[in-house]
């Protein structure tokens, strides 16, 4: 019973430790979980099923983070119960694997931001924006269709196209800085709505 006097109810996800830059202290949550595991009167529930994300994305996330998130590096052992499982596919007509594309940085971001005379055409942010714009254009060229009947019906009911469109895509960024502004500008220049 959660509401009994003296009880403590905690909710958290160590994989969300990206919020450390906002003052989160994942070590506190990790210590609390470890303490709960050693006491039979404490209950620890793990929610490892994701109902929104394509299974292929979850498998890729598990493959990457099970190698990166180790006790020695990230103070989390991303194994077994921490692995995510999914229950749905994307409903898309193509079953291409998840891709990870990287933009090799020419110099550090700090050096680039400090360099007032940096050549914008050759900057990492411009090249990153071009890559993102190209991927979005490729995904929205009309060839990628939603074929799952339930997804297609839901889209039709909402007046949406049966093909992937700009509204189906989100570009996730860590924070709003000069790099993000540059990427947004490149997307606009390439007629990708922002």
């Amino acid at each position: 019973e959660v509401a009994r006097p003296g009880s403590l109810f905690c909710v958290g996800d160590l994989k969300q430790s990206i919020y450390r830059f906002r003052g989160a202290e994942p070590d506190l949550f990790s210590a609390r979980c470890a303490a709960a595991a050693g006491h039979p009167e404490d209950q620890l529930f793990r929610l490892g099923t994701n109902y929104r994300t394509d299974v292929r994305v979850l498998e890729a996330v598990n493959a990457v983070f099970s190698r990166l998130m180790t006790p020695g590096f990230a103070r989390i052992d991303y194994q077994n119960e921490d692995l995510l499982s999914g229950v749905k596919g994307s409903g898309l007509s193509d079953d291409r694997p998840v891709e990870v594309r990287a933009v090799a940085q020419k110099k550090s971001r700090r050096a680039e931001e400090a360099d007032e005379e940096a050549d914008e055409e050759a900057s990492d942010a411009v090249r990153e924006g071009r890559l993102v714009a190209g991927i979005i254009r490729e995904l929205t060229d009309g060839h990628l269709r939603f074929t799952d009947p339930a997804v297609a019906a839901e889209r039709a009911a909402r007046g949406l196209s049966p093909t992937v469109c700009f509204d189906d895509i989100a570009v996730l960024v860590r924070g709003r800085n000069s790099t993000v502004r540059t990427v947004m500008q490149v997307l606009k220049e390439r007629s990708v709505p922002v």
Side-chain angles (χ1 to χ4, degrees):
E1 186 175 300
V2 176
R4 73 178 186 265
S7 66
L8 176 65
F9 181 76
C10 301
V11 177
D13 182 355
L14 290 177
K15 295 179 289 297
Q16 295 289 329
S17 62
I18 58 168
Y19 291 109
R20 190 173 280 149
F21 73 95
R22 288 194 175 158
E25 295 185 41
D27 291 336
L28 294 175
F29 186 75
S30 182
R32 185 66 202 138
C33 289
H39 294 87
E41 69 276 6
D42 291 343
Q43 295 180 348
L44 185 61
F45 298 99
R46 296 187 183 272
L47 305 175
T49 303
N50 182 305
Y51 295 92
R52 298 186 305 175
T53 306
D54 186 290
V55 173
R56 292 172 293 185
V57 173
L58 297 175
E59 289 170 352
V61 167
N62 286 338
V64 170
F65 286 100
S66 63
R67 289 175 181 80
L68 292 177
M69 295 187 107
T70 62
F73 180 70
R75 291 179 274 175
I76 177 175
D77 192 10
Y78 191 89
Q79 300 292 325
N80 303 320
E81 66 270 357
D82 290 316
L83 298 175
L84 299 170
S85 63
V87 296
K88 75 175 205 169
S90 65
L92 292 172
S93 58
D94 114 350
D95 46 338
R96 71 174 88 184
V98 172
E99 295 179 34
V100 176
R101 300 184 194 184
V103 176
Q105 293 185 348
K106 293 184 176 184
K107 57 183 175 178
S108 76
R109 292 213 185 274
R110 283 198 180 121
E112 185 174 74
E113 290 171 0
D115 184 2
E116 297 285 330
E117 305 300 317
D119 176 14
E120 278 299 312
E121 283 303 308
S123 76
D124 293 336
V126 169
R127 292 183 310 111
E128 189 172 339
R130 289 176 181 159
L131 175 67
V132 171
I135 292 168
I136 292 172
R137 282 285 177 201
E138 178 186 326
L139 293 172
T140 58
D141 71 0
H143 79 281
L144 200 52
R145 302 181 65 80
F146 290 93
T147 56
D148 179 284
V151 173
E154 177 193 344
R155 291 180 69 81
R158 293 175 36 208
L160 297 174
S161 165
T163 60
V164 173
C165 57
F166 293 123
D167 288 345
D168 295 313
I169 298 172
V171 177
L172 304 178
V173 296
R174 180 174 178 162
R176 296 180 72 77
N177 56 27
S178 63
T179 299
V180 174
R181 288 189 293 276
T182 301
V183 169
M184 288 173 61
Q185 183 59 40
V186 172
L187 292 174
K188 289 176 187 176
E189 289 168 4
R190 305 226 166 181
S191 302
V192 174
V194 177

